[in-house]
Amino acid sequence: MARLDFPKDFVWGTATASYQIEGAYQEDGRGLSIWDTFSHTPGKVVNNDNGDVACDSYHRYEEDVALLKNLGVKAYRFSIAWPRIFPQGTGEVNEKGLDYYRRVVDALIAAGIEPCVTLYHWDLPQALQDKGGWANRDTIDAFVKYAEVVFKAFDGKIKQWITFNETWCVSFLSNYIGAHAPGNTDLQLAVDVAHNCMVAHGQAVKKFRELGVKGQIGTTHNLYWYEPYSTKPEDVAAAHRNRAYYNEWFMDPTFKGTYPPFMVDWFREKGVEVKIQPGDLETMSQPIDFIGINFYSGGFGRYKKGEGLFDCEEVQVGFDRTFMDWNVYPDGLYKVLSWVKEEYGDIPIYITENGACYEDELTADKRVHDVLRAEYYKKHFIQCHRVIESGVPLKGYFAWSLLDNFEWAEGYKKRFGIVYTNYETLERHPKDSYYFIQKVIADGGLDV
C-alpha cells in the first residue's frame, strides 16, 4: 500500500452556489434573477422544480458552517447573488443583501474557514436580461459596479475572489444549446455573451487592482479533456475542436489575449463573428493571481461530418458513467492540469469544482452509503497528487458540492452533495463520502 501525502499548505474545501442552496427568493429585498424566470417557466426544469426554497441556506447557513467545520476544510467557496445586492441589477444597493453575506462571512471566519467568493454564478438580475443581458455591453458596466460594491464591503475579510463561474455555461450552454437560463439557441448570441463576460471579468480585475483590495483574484473555467479516437489527422482535428470549445476558447483570451485562430475560422464558416472592440483583448487578459478549474469529465472523439457543431462524434471506450451519464475519467484531470501548465505557464491552480452525481438512498439510521462517490473522489485525489508531484502548481481542491441542491435544469432529481438534503424537512445528513473526505483532510493524504 502506497502513502500519498499532500503539501501542508494544500487548501481543502468544498463549494456551493447561491441560487442552488439559498432559497428565500423574495426575502429582504432580493430581486428576481434569470433563474427565477427560467425555473418558473413550465417545461424548462425537470418536474418544474425551482430554487424558491432550495436548501434554505439563507436561514440555515449556521448549520452549514457547522458541517464545514466538522469536515475540517480550510476554505469554502460560495457565490454572492447579484439580485440580493442590486435587485434591479443597478441603482440602489440593498443593504439587507450585503448584511446576509456579512453574517455568512463572519460565521466562516469564526469557524476558522476562509471564504472564497464567486461574484457571478449564473443568477443575473432579470431586470438586466430584459435589456439584453450579457449580449448588451451595458451589463459589463453594471457588473463592475456590483463587483466594486462587494469588494469594498468585504475588503480584508474575503481574500480569494473569483469573477465568473464557467463562462462556457453562461454563454454556450445557456444561449446556444439553450439548456440553462435564459434558454436561447443562437450561436452568434452565445459567442457575443462569452466575449462580453470575459471583458467584464477583465474590467472587474482592473477595478480590484485600482481599489487595492487585499487578497487574490482569478476566474473559473470548466475544462474537459477530449482525446482523438485515433491518430488520423481528421480525428485529431475534430477532437481538438471539441476540446477547444471548452478550453482554449476561454483560456487563450484569459492568458494570451487572443482567440485560437482555427476556432475563429471555424465559427466564421458558420456565419459567426467575434465582435472585438478596441482594448477588449487587453482587458480580457488582465494578469490574474490564480485560475480556477472545474473538472468533471472528458472523452474520445473522432471525425464525423455533420456531427454536432464541430463534426466530432464521441466514442465510448468503456468508461464508467455517473448518474448524469458523464464519463468518469480521473486520468483526464491529470492530463488537463498538465496541459494548463504546459500551455499557460506556472499560474497557481485551484480545482474549484470536482464531484459526481449518483443515486443516493437515506437509510433508516440516517446514513447514505455512497460508495461510488467516495471512490470517485479517491481516484481524483490520486490524480491531484500525481500532478503536484509532477510540478504543476495545484494549490487546492474544492469538492462539488457540500449539499445536495437545486441542480439547475435537472431540478432536485440529481444529487452531487457530500451531505444529503431531505427536501421535505430540509434536514442535512452527511454521506459516507463526507466522512471519507474528512479523513483525508485530517490525515493530510490517503493510502492507495
Side-chain angles (χ1 to χ4, degrees):
M1 183 174 285
R3 176 71 190 168
L4 306 183
D5 288 312
F6 280 77
K8 296 285 188 225
D9 60 352
F10 191 77
V11 177
W12 292 103
T14 184
T16 61
S18 49
Y19 189 76
Q20 293 182 272
I21 68 164
E22 286 179 359
Y25 85 114
Q26 289 183 315
E27 287 191 44
D28 291 337
R30 178 188 179 275
L32 294 180
S33 78
I34 56 174
W35 270 98
D36 295 299
T37 302
F38 191 78
S39 65
H40 285 90
T41 303
K44 295 296 187 183
V45 175
V46 171
N47 296 326
N48 291 318
D49 291 338
N50 59 58
D52 294 5
V53 176
C55 305
D56 194 34
S57 202
Y58 192 81
H59 300 110
R60 296 168 181 259
Y61 69 89
E62 289 173 314
E63 187 178 346
D64 297 337
V65 171
L67 284 165
L68 289 162
K69 185 174 183 179
N70 186 55
L71 182 60
V73 292
K74 289 183 182 177
Y76 174 52
R77 177 184 175 231
F78 65 98
S79 71
I80 289 178
W82 187 347
R84 289 202 192 279
I85 312 305
F86 286 99
Q88 299 303 309
T90 58
E92 291 295 312
V93 175
N94 177 33
E95 287 295 334
K96 286 185 177 180
L98 283 174
D99 285 343
Y100 165 66
Y101 293 110
R102 287 189 182 104
R103 294 194 296 273
V104 172
V105 168
D106 288 347
L108 289 167
I109 292 171
I113 298 165
E114 283 284 342
C116 172
V117 165
T118 304
L119 289 169
Y120 186 74
H121 202 131
W122 308 354
D123 40 5
L124 182 72
Q126 181 61 41
L128 294 181
Q129 184 62 41
D130 292 342
K131 299 174 183 175
W134 284 112
N136 180 349
R137 287 182 69 110
D138 288 347
T139 301
I140 298 171
D141 299 330
F143 176 74
V144 175
K145 180 60 182 174
Y146 151 64
E148 180 178 2
V149 167
V150 177
F151 288 152
K152 288 178 176 177
F154 295 98
D155 186 10
K157 286 194 171 183
I158 296 170
K159 294 169 185 159
Q160 191 171 40
W161 298 87
I162 292 168
T163 54
F164 279 77
N165 180 74
E166 299 186 345
T167 313
W168 179 89
C169 291
V170 179
S171 52
F172 290 104
L173 185 62
S174 305
N175 289 284
Y176 169 59
I177 298 169
H180 282 187
N184 297 311
T185 52
D186 183 321
L187 183 57
Q188 179 66 65
L189 177 64
V191 169
D192 293 347
V193 167
H195 182 76
N196 290 347
C197 285
M198 287 190 284
V199 172
H201 150 75
Q203 293 283 21
V205 172
K206 285 169 105 171
K207 181 59 68 175
F208 182 88
R209 307 288 187 214
E210 287 169 13
L211 293 170
V213 180
K214 293 178 284 294
Q216 296 188 324
I217 191 166
T219 191
T220 283
H221 296 314
N222 52 307
L223 304 188
Y224 290 79
W225 191 252
Y226 278 99
E227 297 199 43
Y229 181 71
S230 80
T231 57
K232 289 180 181 177
E234 59 268 34
D235 286 354
V236 172
H240 191 193
R241 287 191 297 270
N242 225 31
R243 195 181 79 201
Y245 178 47
Y246 297 99
N247 298 6
E248 285 98 316
W249 192 256
F250 299 94
M251 293 288 281
D252 279 13
T254 301
F255 291 105
K256 298 180 177 179
T258 61
Y259 284 100
F262 74 98
M263 291 291 285
V264 172
D265 293 342
W266 187 267
F267 280 131
R268 185 171 291 128
E269 289 177 12
K270 307 288 184 187
V272 172
E273 294 287 340
V274 188
K275 299 169 185 172
I276 302 171
Q277 293 191 12
D280 280 358
L281 295 174
E282 180 187 359
T283 296
M284 291 156 68
S285 58
Q286 288 295 302
I288 53 178
D289 301 308
F290 65 89
I291 183 68
I293 290 171
N294 293 354
F295 178 85
Y296 289 98
S297 191
F300 287 76
R302 68 181 179 187
Y303 175 77
K304 184 179 180 182
K305 181 70 175 174
E307 183 73 20
L309 187 56
F310 300 106
D311 294 349
C312 184
E313 174 187 50
E314 185 167 344
V315 181
Q316 282 304 319
V317 297
F319 288 114
D320 291 334
R321 312 288 280 278
T322 69
F323 191 46
M324 289 290 285
D325 207 28
W326 297 349
N327 296 331
V328 178
Y329 190 14
D331 195 44
L333 177 58
Y334 177 85
K335 291 177 179 178
V336 83
L337 295 179
S338 300
W339 170 80
V340 170
K341 173 181 163 64
E342 183 180 322
E343 192 70 23
Y344 304 105
D346 279 323
I347 180 80
I349 299 169
Y350 290 86
I351 296 170
T352 39
E353 289 181 27
N354 176 239
C357 173
Y358 291 106
E359 293 185 273
D360 295 323
E361 183 180 342
L362 187 67
T363 62
D365 61 350
K366 307 297 185 184
R367 293 293 296 265
V368 177
H369 302 301
D370 57 338
V371 176
L372 291 175
R373 185 177 290 106
E375 188 65 23
Y376 179 99
Y377 279 119
K378 181 178 181 179
K379 289 176 178 176
H380 286 79
F381 292 172
I382 292 168
Q383 298 304 323
C384 290
H385 188 269
R386 279 187 70 205
V387 88
I388 292 169
E389 291 287 294
S390 300
V392 175
L394 178 63
K395 302 299 184 183
Y397 176 103
F398 291 79
W400 183 270
S401 172
L402 173 64
L403 303 168
D404 292 333
N405 53 48
F406 177 78
E407 185 45 46
W408 306 114
E410 299 292 340
Y412 295 103
K413 185 180 177 185
K414 301 290 173 72
R415 295 176 179 268
F416 276 87
I418 57 173
V419 174
Y420 183 94
T421 304
N422 182 324
Y423 294 118
E424 292 181 5
T425 65
L426 297 172
E427 290 176 299
R428 281 89 154 118
H429 304 285
K431 304 177 187 179
D432 285 0
S433 57
Y434 173 98
Y435 295 111
F436 169 73
I437 294 173
Q438 181 188 58
K439 186 175 189 320
V440 171
I441 295 172
D443 293 349
L446 67 161
D447 295 314
V448 295

